[in-house]
Each structure stands twice: as structure tokens, then as C-alpha cells.
Amino acid sequence: MRGWKRMDEDRAESTVPSCVSLKSDRSKDGLINFRSSDKIERGGHILSNWDQSAPPGESSCSQSGSRSGDAEMKPKQRSDLLEVIEGHKISLKRRCEHVTEGTHEAGSGTLLNTIYTELYITEGQSEEVDTQHEVRQLERTSKKNIQDTPIKCQDIFKVLSEQQRHIRVVLTNGVAGVGKTFSVQKFILDWAEGLENQDISLVLPLSCRELNLIRDEQHSLLSLLHVFHPTLQKIRAEDLTVWKLLFIFDGLDESRFSLDFNKHQVISDVTQVSSVGVLLVNLIQGNLLPSALIWITSRPAAAYQIPPLCVDRITEVRGFTDSQKEEYFRRRFSDEDLSKRIISHIKASRSLHIMCLIPVFCWITAIVLEDMMTRDQRGELPKTLTDLYSHFLRVQIKRKKQKYGGKQRPEELTEADKEILLKLGRLAFEQLEKGNIMFYSEDLERCGLDVSEVSVYSGVCTEIFKRESVIFQTSVYCFVHLSIQEFLAAVYMFHCYTRKDTVVINKFLKYSKPNRFSWFTLLFAKNNQVKSLDDFLRRTLMKSLENGEPPKETIQKVSTNLKEENSDEISPDRSINIFYCLMEMKDQSVHQEIQEFLKSKRKSQRRLSEIHCSALAYLLQMSEEVLDELNLQQYNTSVEGRRRLIPAVRNCRKAVLSLCSLSEISCDSLASALRSNPSHLRVLELSQNQLKDPAVKLLCSGLESLNCKLETLRLSGCSLSEISFDSLASALRSNPSHLRVLELSQNQLKDPAVKLLWDFLQDPLCKLETLRLNHCSLSEISCNSLAWALRSNPSHLRVLDMNYNQLKDPAVNLFCGFLQDPLCKLETLRLSQCSLSEISCDSLASALRSNPSHLKVLDLSQNQLQDPGVKVLCGFLQDPLCKLETLRSVRDDPVLAQV
């Protein structure tokens, strides 16, 4: 079998000389005598569950009933195990001490510790992270977040506060290339060198891309470790049960095995055989080795596979901060002047500066700018991602030609070069369509790529590609970063478009007559299943392979079509991608026009097109200053234009979106804003929008987020159904402590939904101060529910608006029980046109006399009050403690006038 070559080599490595790194004295009989100052013995970290006080040759296991089944552990066996573990550390150190940025040759990279720059890692994550394209996530990450809780990679299993329990399972998220694997590599290296986490007996990395290769095989956990870590061949099942172990599953997003946490075989024995997916599920759930630590890394879009209840801590790798970016370039280049010039250029380009949050992108940028700055520079340095990636391709092609020779000049792009790039582009596009970022030899061959030529095109294939040599010597390929894959896919589709290759276009785009290039944008912007194609938009219209530049007339045509593009099927967030496309095409006209608009003092007189609104939404959203108020009615634009402004809600405190014909797609954007970390929104006015149930459900997914700090929610005249009220009530109960104003006027409230809503009102955490329910056709049952809720939690409400509801005497009587409660601090009570009877007036007057000192405004207009009813209210008005400032009635009543 071709795969056992590396295994045999690793077996050879597992025979570790007794003197290697053990720092011990060996007696004549071969036993190891450890000194108290030795690294191995410090804290008993290697065999953390062995009883160091036991007599020589005995373990705590043998004393307590022999968990392992042996009566005792012989001294020779113990020394062998220590040597095996030390051999495992040496093996892991060899594997992790070198890094290969963009190359694949084992051991040919740079020492990790010489270039490693500390990454910015936070505890917790944004709840919208899996719904946005990764570049958009980076843009938001680039803004300072004072609520972040930083955490060091080495501390992810440590309890950092008194509120936290034991940390067993950690899930680390992060966009592609942001440094998740580097963090894992650094963690392992520090452990193997005895620097960090020495309480862990064994660190056991199992990358998901390698596990893919045996996804159809059956293994026990023990045999799995023997296969992937041959240095541990002598480890037995009983050893695993008494040691403190850490399993690291790196790259869950790359896995091709299924995880079913609901229906699966329960396994508790490390020798029991099953599939890879079942073993992993049982490890995570704690059925198998319940004391073992588990660390899983994943891109956000795949993290949903792990149920939240199974995770003790979520961390997010955010990449480099601004200072860490600069440190990276200073450490990479010994030439201080060169590093300063590169840092200066990156700061001048917003796109490059944001993308340099990603370490891999820093590497790409460094390669390009070093090449351009250390030779005769004629053209301007790249400022867009398109320019950068175009230069990156040329640098790699030039390196290939310098390495393998050739008659043509290194800078020239030959037909052969174009052919290989188009084949790579086809591969990139087809795999994006399938949602794959990992490929195999057969995938390359299907696109006409000769696998044997990979080494010849090392400047292109092995730099743009990373070839992973895994345990069975099976080649696994991936592009060095997702954005490189997207860029090459865009090049391929642009080529198909310019060559009028309708077969390919129709196959991928499913349009019979794509007569406008912007249809590419429409297709991918609507495609929710393949989110990675979003960023593909930014590069779809950019470069052809003809001399590196597309014809000017084609660019102009595309630019014009994009500016005129209008479709209500594209979400407001995704509409911004059209503006991205223009920026990448270096069409600055829209950007400049919006800048002029922002400086204008007569904004309401300036008509904004849809593309202007997308650009404005982007600029407002990315502004360092939080907008006080965003009122869509103040902008002179179409309904579609106002809809495109909605993403700016993420960066404002008050959003007025009344009469905006909000759709389900629009509410999805609002929910994303409410889930943002941090969420700035405090006031949300959605009145007079005919909201359908799916739209309300999406909105409520934002309201129930713990990041949501909304204080005012207005939903007047939104035609909310019983289903919508159910969703709203559930969301408010999930996050009850921030809302202060709730307006539900002009909605037909039904009894079942009202009861659920009142459950929110009586929650002790509810601090609602204003409740408006006018024109809600409240029934007697609904009024009873409301009255009981207010009596259960009476101390916060200050304004109660019940105008235009036909209140019955029993309901009014219940409300009066709330009013006379000593804890009631109500200041405004509106009961206009509520058909109050003499009995109701009597109850109301009695309640107000019992608690007269807080009410400031009383509205009893349009109730046709009779003299007896008015007379009983006079007792309250004459009370010296009465602080009433405003009294409204339908007519000048002589009785009230006397008072």
C-alpha cells in the first residue's frame, strides 16, 4: 500500500534514544531516576494521573483497584511509556516547528517561532458571523470593538473567571486564512517544547483533511491514533483512560464525513470500532473519554455542525490588529526601509488594509510589494484586490520561469501560461459551485490539469496551491486562500464571457440569453447556498487574460449596466457588492458623487439612484462614527433605494423605517444589525409596514440575540398576525431586560398571542416603561391578561396608552388593581374612547385616590362621561397629593370646572 511508507518512517522515529531530552539519570539496571528539577517531572505533567507518591514501580491505578486490569505497573513499562511520550513530543515538534507560507515542501519553510506574530483572539463570537461573506466579516472586524474579550491561544482551556465552569470542549471560529491552523501549530509547538500547558499528558492533533481519507473506513479511537501517530504504537487502551488528553480537530469546514448528534451509535470504549464521524461525535458529547479535552477549529459557515450545548467555550480568531500587521512586516523583512514603505502603502489602501487582518493575505501582499519595490517601478502599486492578485499571478509565473528557464522573458504571459491559468480557473469555479475548498487528483484531471506538471508549474500551482502530503501519501490540494480561488474563478468566467462561450455560461448561470454581464452579479447575489461566490462578485468583471487588461469598451459597458441594475430579489447587503465591483473596476464616479452628497447642505433636494444608496449604505456602515439617526424618508430616492440603505442601520443608534415597504429580505438585514457585536441600535421604528410572518420571524431572531440592546420598538400599523405575535413574544421573553418602549398600536391583538406577550411583561427582568396599545381591539380576556401581568410587575411602567379599545367594567376593575398598587409609578394613562361606564369611573377614581402622587397625564376624552361618573373622579383631583398636570375630556364639564 502506498500509504504505509510514511507510517514506517514515523515508526522508525518512534524509537527514541533514552538520553534524548529526558534530562534524567539512568541507573545500572536501566531504570530512570528523575530529579525534582527535571522538565519531565515538573508538576507531574507527563503522566498527570500517576500518583507521584506511590512506591517505585506502582501507579495510583494499581492501588485503587487496577483500572487498567494489571496488578501493578512495572518500572520498565513506566520508563518505556515516558520515552514514547517524549518521542511523540519530538515528532510533533518536527511537524510544527516549520511553517510553509504558500509552499508544500516538508521541512523547507521558516521556523515558526521566528515569524510567529501573536493573533487577536476573542472569547465568544458575533452571532451573524455565519450569515455574511467572510470579506464582509473582515470589514466589520476591522472596526474597533470595545466589548471584545481577548484571550490568548495558550489559555483557551483555562478558566478565566469565577462564573466559568470547567472548559472541556472549545470551538474556535475564524474566516479562511485568518490563522486558526497557525494558532493550533503554535499551541502544539509550545506544548512539545515544554513551555505551555504542561498539565496535559498528550496532545493529539487530527486534521479533518487527513481524516477525510479514511472517512469510509471503520476504526476504533485507539487504532485511529496508531494510524495517524505511529510514535504512539505502544500506547494501550488503559493508558488513554487515565491520562489527561487533548484532541485537536483542525479544519471542520474541510471535513467530508457527516456528524449526526441526534441519531448515532453510543461508544464508550476506545477499542470499539466505528466510523470517523461517530467517533468524533462521541468524543465531543463525552461518551468516549469524558475527561479528554477537545479543540475544534472551523470556518464560521461550518461551525453550526456542533450543537451549542456541547461547547463550553467559543473563541474567534480575528487575525491581526493594526499593530500586529506592522509587526508581521517588520519581522518578515530585514530591510527596515522596505518594511516601512510596505506598511505605508497598505495603510493608504482601505481594501488592502482590511484584508491584511488575514496572515495569508499579508504573505501575498508582502510577495507582491517586495517584488515591485525592489525592481524598477514603472506602474503604480496595487490598491485594489484585483490589482494585487493580478500582480501575484505574474510574480508566481516569473518565479516559475526563473526556476525552470525558458526562452521568453520572465514577465511575459505565454499561451501556455494562459492555458494553465484558465484550467485553474475552471477548477476554482467548479469547486466553488460545489462548496469545496479541498480537491483531489481526480478533480484536477477532470479540468485538464496534468498532476505531474504541478512541480513544473511550482511558481503557480504550488504557490497558489498548497499540496498537503498526508498520512497515506495521497495528494490533497487547496488554493492558498479562498479569495485566490474566487479570483481565478472570476478570470475563468470573464474569459468565457468575452469568448461568448454560451455552453459554459448557460451551464453555470442557467440563463439562456445572458445579454448583460451584470446578470452574473444577479445570479450569485441571489445564491444563498454558495456564500463564497459573494466575494467572487468583486472580481468577476475585472481582468481578462489579454495583456492583463480587459477592453475599455467592455469595462464601460459593464460599469453602465451595474449602475442601472435594479432587482428586489437581491438583499440590501448583497446589493453593496455591485458597488464593490465598480470600485474594483476603478470606477470612482459613484464614490465621488456620494462624498459630494455627504458634504452637501441640501441633501433632501439631491435625487439618489439605487447604486448611490448602496454606496451610501456602505460608507455609513463602515464609518468610525456611529450615526445618531437614520431616517429613510429623508432621502430623495425610490422605494428600492430606501431598501438598499438598510445595511447602514448597523452603525446607527436610531433607525426610522416607517412606510418603507419592508420585505422579508429587508428584515433579514435588520436582524443582522441587531445581532451585531456590538449592536448600536437603540430605537427601531417600523410602523406602517405590512410585515408578513416570515419577515417578523427573521426580525425576532435579531431581537432575541443577547447582543441586542434595543430600547424602543415601534410596530404600529404592521398588520401583525397571531403567528407574528407568538414570534415577538418569544423573542422578548428571551431577551427581556433592555426594552423600555413597546408600541403595538393599530394591530388586531388576538387573545392567545396577547397572553404570550403578557408573559414578557410580568418577567422580573422586564423593565418596560412605555406600552402603547391604542386601536388594538382588545377583548375582555386580553385586558384581563394585561392587567394581571402589570400587577405582577408594577414598578417600571410609566406610560400606558389604551385609547380606542372598548374596555369592559371587569377589565377596568383589574387595571385599577394595578393603579392602586403602592409600587405603581404610572405617570401617563390614556383611556380615550374606551366607553367607560359609571362603574368604571368609580373603580378608576378609587384606585387613583389610593395612589395619587405619580399620575401627571390623564386622558379620558371621547367617553361621554355622565355627571355621576365625573363626580366620583373629583375626589382624586381634590386630593392634596394629586400631581396631575394634564386632564383631557371631550367637553368642558361644569363639575370638573368647579374642581
Side-chain angles (χ1 to χ4, degrees):
M1 293 176 61
R2 60 177 178 176
W4 296 108
K5 178 182 178 182
R6 175 175 163 182
M7 181 178 289
D8 291 335
E9 292 172 351
D10 280 12
R11 276 206 187 101
E13 292 177 5
S14 68
T15 306
V16 183
S18 60
C19 59
V20 177
S21 301
L22 290 178
K23 297 184 179 179
S24 62
D25 295 327
R26 185 174 291 275
S27 64
K28 293 180 181 180
D29 57 2
L31 299 181
I32 300 175
N33 300 314
F34 294 97
R35 300 189 298 269
S36 60
S37 60
D38 289 341
K39 182 176 82 172
I40 290 291
E41 191 175 2
R42 282 201 300 265
H45 64 276
I46 289 296
L47 300 176
S48 59
N49 287 290
W50 291 91
D51 186 352
Q52 300 297 318
S53 64
E58 291 189 23
S59 70
S60 59
C61 295
S62 62
Q63 292 175 334
S64 61
S66 186
R67 262 176 88 180
S68 66
D70 294 332
E72 59 180 322
M73 175 67 72
K74 298 299 183 183
K76 181 62 178 176
Q77 290 176 313
R78 178 178 177 182
S79 64
D80 286 349
L81 288 176
L82 289 173
E83 291 184 5
V84 168
I85 293 173
E86 192 66 16
H88 179 64
K89 284 193 168 188
I90 293 171
S91 176
L92 290 184
K93 181 180 177 182
R94 288 175 180 170
R95 185 187 302 185
C96 297
E97 65 184 349
H98 286 87
V99 292
T100 52
E101 296 176 293
T103 59
H104 75 276
E105 293 85 355
S108 63
T110 307
L111 286 172
L112 174 62
N113 285 332
T114 63
I115 67 166
Y116 181 79
T117 304
E118 189 74 33
L119 288 158
Y120 184 50
I121 304 175
T122 59
E123 186 168 12
Q125 71 168 44
S126 168
E127 293 188 34
E128 64 165 340
V129 75
D130 64 335
T131 65
Q132 300 296 329
H133 186 269
E134 295 190 341
V135 173
R136 299 293 305 280
Q137 295 169 31
L138 287 173
E139 289 170 336
R140 291 173 192 153
T141 299
S142 68
K143 299 179 66 176
K144 293 181 180 179
N145 187 347
I146 59 175
Q147 297 183 10
D148 288 339
T149 304
I151 184 172
K152 290 186 177 181
C153 172
Q154 295 85 354
D155 297 336
I156 62 169
F157 285 99
K158 296 177 181 177
V159 177
L160 304 179
S161 67
E162 295 180 356
Q163 291 76 26
Q164 291 175 331
R165 54 178 180 152
H166 171 65
I167 307 297
R168 192 183 76 86
V169 179
V170 174
L171 174 62
T172 295
N173 287 315
V175 300
V178 79
K180 300 184 295 296
T181 298
F182 262 45
S183 297
V184 167
Q185 203 165 338
K186 178 62 174 172
F187 184 101
I188 296 172
L189 183 61
D190 285 349
W191 175 80
E193 292 183 336
L195 301 177
E196 299 283 351
N197 292 288
Q198 296 303 289
D199 59 311
I200 297 174
S201 308
L202 276 178
V203 174
L204 303 164
L206 295 166
S207 77
C208 291
R209 64 179 61 172
E210 292 189 350
L211 290 174
N212 286 338
L213 299 173
I214 60 166
R215 64 184 183 276
D216 298 325
E217 299 179 15
Q218 298 284 304
H219 281 276
S220 69
L221 183 61
L222 184 62
S223 68
L224 199 68
L225 295 181
H226 288 168
V227 168
F228 286 95
H229 294 285
T231 54
L232 301 179
Q233 288 290 327
K234 294 182 180 180
I235 298 297
R236 300 173 303 179
E238 54 268 27
D239 300 326
L240 298 181
T241 61
V242 297
W243 291 348
K244 184 173 182 180
L245 310 176
L246 166 59
F247 290 88
I248 302 178
F249 297 95
D250 187 29
L252 181 66
D253 50 286
E254 299 170 351
S255 72
R256 294 192 178 184
F257 46 84
S258 60
L259 300 179
D260 188 346
F261 283 83
N262 298 317
K263 298 178 181 179
H264 63 82
Q265 177 187 10
V266 176
I267 295 177
S268 57
D269 188 341
V270 297
T271 63
Q272 189 173 348
V273 173
S274 187
S275 65
V276 173
V278 171
L279 290 177
L280 181 53
V281 167
N282 279 278
L283 269 172
I284 294 172
Q285 288 185 329
N287 303 323
L288 189 58
L289 296 179
S291 62
L293 305 178
I294 312 293
W295 186 10
I296 304 164
T297 72
S298 174
R299 286 172 57 207
Y304 72 92
Q305 298 179 69
I306 310 298
L309 291 177
C310 293
V311 179
D312 300 305
R313 171 176 283 161
I314 295 179
T315 63
E316 184 178 358
V317 181
R318 309 283 285 272
F320 287 154
T321 62
D322 289 351
S323 60
Q324 289 167 344
K325 294 173 196 175
E326 296 181 18
E327 181 185 351
Y328 174 89
F329 290 106
R330 283 195 298 267
R331 297 184 69 169
R332 183 177 179 87
F333 300 109
S334 57
D335 187 335
E336 183 178 350
D337 180 63
L338 176 62
S339 64
K340 286 182 178 179
R341 290 166 61 198
I342 289 177
I343 292 170
S344 177
H345 177 72
I346 290 170
K347 286 182 176 179
S349 169
R350 181 175 182 81
S351 293
L352 300 189
H353 193 249
I354 289 174
M355 288 297 289
C356 277
L357 286 166
I358 302 176
V360 169
F361 193 85
C362 287
W363 168 74
I364 294 172
T365 305
I367 285 178
V368 172
L369 295 183
E370 180 184 23
D371 178 78
M372 299 184 73
M373 289 181 174
T374 53
R375 60 181 173 85
D376 294 336
Q377 179 61 47
R378 295 182 180 180
E380 64 174 341
L381 294 173
K383 293 182 179 179
T384 66
L385 301 184
T386 300
D387 283 344
L388 187 77
Y389 286 149
S390 298
H391 283 291
F392 180 67
L393 287 178
R394 291 181 176 276
V395 170
Q396 302 313 315
I397 292 171
K398 182 178 72 172
R399 288 185 174 184
K400 182 263 295 187
K401 292 176 179 177
Q402 289 173 341
K403 182 175 181 180
Y404 293 99
K407 296 181 180 180
Q408 71 280 357
R409 295 174 57 191
E411 290 80 8
E412 291 179 352
L413 192 66
T414 66
E415 290 301 320
D417 295 328
K418 295 178 185 179
E419 183 179 356
I420 191 71
L421 290 177
L422 284 176
K423 289 178 180 179
L424 287 171
R426 177 187 167 188
L427 173 71
F429 188 90
E430 289 183 354
Q431 296 304 316
L432 276 180
E433 190 180 45
K434 296 176 182 178
N436 293 337
I437 59 175
M438 305 296 298
F439 332 117
Y440 298 91
S441 299
E442 54 267 28
D443 298 319
L444 274 66
E445 292 168 358
R446 194 176 299 114
C447 294
L449 285 164
D450 187 346
V451 178
S452 64
E453 290 181 343
V454 168
S455 60
V456 177
Y457 282 93
S458 60
V460 177
C461 296
T462 58
E463 294 285 37
I464 298 174
F465 268 143
K466 288 193 298 183
R467 178 180 178 276
E468 300 293 342
S469 298
V470 293
I471 195 70
F472 299 111
Q473 288 294 300
T474 298
S475 296
V476 182
Y477 301 87
C478 70
F479 291 94
V480 77
H481 190 253
L482 174 63
S483 58
I484 292 289
Q485 183 176 352
E486 292 172 329
F487 176 73
L488 284 171
V491 170
Y492 173 67
M493 289 311 299
F494 188 88
H495 171 79
C496 292
Y497 173 77
T498 56
R499 296 298 188 276
K500 295 182 173 57
D501 191 339
T502 55
V503 174
V504 174
I505 293 174
N506 292 341
K507 176 183 176 182
F508 292 124
L509 303 184
K510 300 177 183 178
Y511 283 101
S512 58
K513 295 180 180 179
N515 55 4
R516 291 195 305 165
F517 204 12
S518 55
W519 279 109
F520 291 112
T521 302
L522 281 178
L523 175 78
F524 298 127
K526 290 188 294 186
N527 191 335
N528 289 315
Q529 294 180 342
V530 189
K531 294 184 178 116
S532 60
L533 290 173
D534 262 3
D535 192 55
F536 170 31
L537 298 176
R538 305 175 80 172
R539 299 180 259 290
T540 300
L541 316 174
M542 319 316 175
K543 301 282 184 180
S544 72
L545 299 179
E546 293 295 331
N547 300 320
E549 294 288 345
K552 290 184 179 180
E553 59 273 13
T554 302
I555 288 294
Q556 184 60 47
K557 178 182 177 181
V558 169
S559 177
T560 301
N561 287 339
L562 282 174
K563 291 176 184 178
E564 296 175 354
E565 189 55 64
N566 185 11
S567 172
D568 57 5
E569 295 183 24
I570 304 178
S571 74
D573 284 304
R574 292 171 183 256
S575 296
I576 291 177
N577 290 328
I578 299 175
F579 174 61
Y580 285 149
C581 285
L582 292 174
M583 296 294 288
E584 288 289 330
M585 292 165 63
K586 299 183 180 178
D587 184 336
Q588 299 286 334
S589 58
V590 173
H591 185 266
Q592 292 171 356
E593 290 163 5
I594 286 300
Q595 294 286 9
E596 294 174 2
F597 169 79
L598 291 173
K599 296 177 182 177
S600 173
K601 295 182 179 180
R602 298 181 177 181
K603 293 183 176 63
S604 60
Q605 299 178 10
R606 181 96 178 252
R607 178 75 177 178
L608 296 179
S609 67
E610 283 78 13
I611 187 61
H612 282 134
C613 291
S614 290
L616 179 59
Y618 173 76
L619 294 178
L620 292 176
Q621 184 181 176
M622 297 310 299
S623 172
E624 293 296 332
E625 295 183 7
V626 180
L627 193 66
D628 284 332
E629 179 176 338
L630 176 69
N631 188 339
L632 299 192
Q633 295 298 331
Q634 293 179 351
Y635 293 94
N636 183 6
T637 186
S638 64
V639 173
E640 167 65 15
R642 291 192 183 94
R643 194 178 63 85
R644 289 198 184 189
L645 285 167
I646 289 177
V649 168
R650 284 190 185 88
N651 201 33
C652 74
R653 297 183 180 90
K654 179 179 180 180
V656 182
L657 311 181
S658 303
L659 291 165
C660 286
S661 303
L662 297 181
S663 65
E664 184 176 342
I665 295 175
S666 303
C667 286
D668 193 19
S669 292
L670 288 176
S672 177
L674 293 170
R675 289 193 299 264
S676 297
N677 183 19
S679 178
H680 301 291
L681 202 59
R682 296 296 178 267
V683 179
L684 181 57
E685 297 190 11
L686 303 176
S687 299
Q688 309 305 317
N689 285 288
Q690 303 300 304
L691 298 180
K692 299 185 183 301
D693 293 337
V696 174
K697 187 174 182 180
L698 284 170
L699 179 66
C700 290
S701 70
L703 292 173
E704 68 187 8
S705 167
L706 296 181
N707 289 331
C708 175
K709 304 294 189 296
L710 196 70
E711 297 174 359
T712 297
L713 176 61
R714 303 188 190 281
L715 293 167
S716 176
C718 288
S719 302
L720 300 181
S721 72
E722 185 175 338
I723 295 175
S724 293
F725 272 114
D726 191 9
S727 299
L728 180 62
S730 177
L732 295 180
R733 289 199 309 272
S734 299
N735 186 20
S737 59
H738 301 287
L739 200 66
R740 296 294 181 269
V741 178
L742 177 61
E743 180 167 353
L744 299 173
S745 301
Q746 301 177 53
N747 287 287
Q748 302 299 307
L749 301 186
K750 304 294 184 182
D751 294 338
V754 169
K755 188 177 185 305
L756 290 171
L757 197 59
W758 302 159
D759 289 343
F760 153 68
L761 291 176
Q762 63 188 6
D763 190 311
L765 295 176
C766 174
K767 305 293 191 299
L768 198 71
E769 297 174 358
T770 298
L771 178 60
R772 299 190 183 279
L773 298 168
N774 65 71
H775 279 104
C776 285
S777 302
L778 294 177
S779 71
E780 184 174 344
I781 295 175
S782 295
C783 289
N784 288 346
S785 299
L786 174 60
W788 279 114
L790 294 179
R791 291 183 68 177
S792 300
N793 186 18
S795 59
H796 302 287
L797 200 67
R798 297 294 181 268
V799 177
L800 178 60
D801 184 350
M802 299 285 291
N803 289 344
Y804 304 100
N805 287 288
Q806 303 301 307
L807 301 184
K808 307 295 183 182
D809 292 336
V812 174
N813 189 48
L814 282 171
F815 277 119
C816 291
F818 155 66
L819 292 174
Q820 66 189 11
D821 191 305
L823 295 177
C824 175
K825 305 294 190 298
L826 196 71
E827 298 175 358
T828 298
L829 176 61
R830 300 191 183 279
L831 296 170
S832 176
Q833 197 169 326
C834 287
S835 301
L836 298 183
S837 70
E838 183 177 341
I839 296 175
S840 296
C841 289
D842 191 22
S843 299
L844 183 62
S846 175
L848 293 177
R849 286 198 303 272
S850 299
N851 186 18
S853 61
H854 300 287
L855 200 66
K856 302 291 190 299
V857 177
L858 177 61
D859 185 355
L860 299 173
S861 60
Q862 302 184 54
N863 275 294
Q864 303 299 319
L865 300 181
Q866 303 301 316
D867 289 344
V870 173
K871 188 172 183 180
V872 296
L873 288 171
C874 295
F876 158 65
L877 297 174
Q878 292 174 326
D879 192 306
L881 295 176
C882 176
K883 300 296 190 296
L884 196 70
E885 299 172 357
T886 301
L887 174 63
R888 297 186 62 189
S889 63
V890 72
R891 57 190 174 85
D892 293 330
D893 195 290
V895 178
L896 293 177
Q898 292 177 14
V899 180

